[in-house]
Amino acid sequence: MTTPPNTPVDGPFRITVEPIPAGVTLDVEAFVAHVVSGVVETLLTDRYADRLDALHEQRPRDPHLIERSSDLPFESLVADLVAEVSTRMPVYGMQALRLAARIEQLAAPAVAGLRAAEGGAAA
């Protein structure tokens, strides 16, 4: 079976590469679904239940109060949950080479355009 050119990585997390004017986009929906699943599973444990409840009961905060992000319940919970789940997406063997080739193929025209614009501006 041949891998479609815009999907150089088909597992364990499918990556689709599409061109945009300034480079490429990587669609990592399967990876994000995996991460969200891990976050939801973590939230359903007793370890985070009290913090989740506290967010629901949160009272309006003073808009003039300067707080560090680690002091903010939502931001602190997000940071802790990110630390709980994997943020690395494996790309194996030939898939890594196909991904690199597809990114290079799609990004080359954008890079050439940027180089031309920089050369024109310098002249």
Side-chain angles (χ1 to χ4, degrees):
M1 184 171 136
T2 311
T3 302
N6 68 332
T7 309
V9 177
D10 53 12
F13 300 107
R14 176 185 213 121
I15 301 173
T16 302
V17 184
E18 298 291 339
I20 59 173
V24 299
T25 61
L26 301 179
D27 183 348
V28 293
E29 180 179 350
F31 180 67
V32 171
H34 172 74
V35 170
V36 169
S37 175
V39 169
V40 170
E41 287 176 14
T42 301
L43 285 175
L44 294 175
T45 66
D46 291 339
R47 183 174 176 187
Y48 287 96
D50 59 335
R51 292 176 68 183
L52 197 56
D53 289 341
L55 285 176
H56 286 289
E57 298 169 2
Q58 188 173 355
R59 298 186 180 161
R61 304 180 80 75
D62 180 352
H64 304 290
L65 183 64
I66 298 173
E67 298 178 279
R68 297 175 299 197
S69 60
S70 61
D71 294 333
L72 301 172
F74 179 83
E75 288 79 355
S76 177
L77 181 59
V78 168
D80 289 345
L81 289 171
V82 168
E84 289 283 333
V85 297
S86 175
T87 58
R88 295 181 180 199
M89 181 174 25
V91 180
Y92 302 115
M94 290 303 297
Q95 294 180 112
L97 296 176
R98 288 195 309 262
L99 178 60
R102 183 66 174 155
I103 290 172
E104 182 177 18
Q105 176 188 27
L106 296 175
V111 171
L114 290 172
R115 286 183 179 157
E118 290 173 356

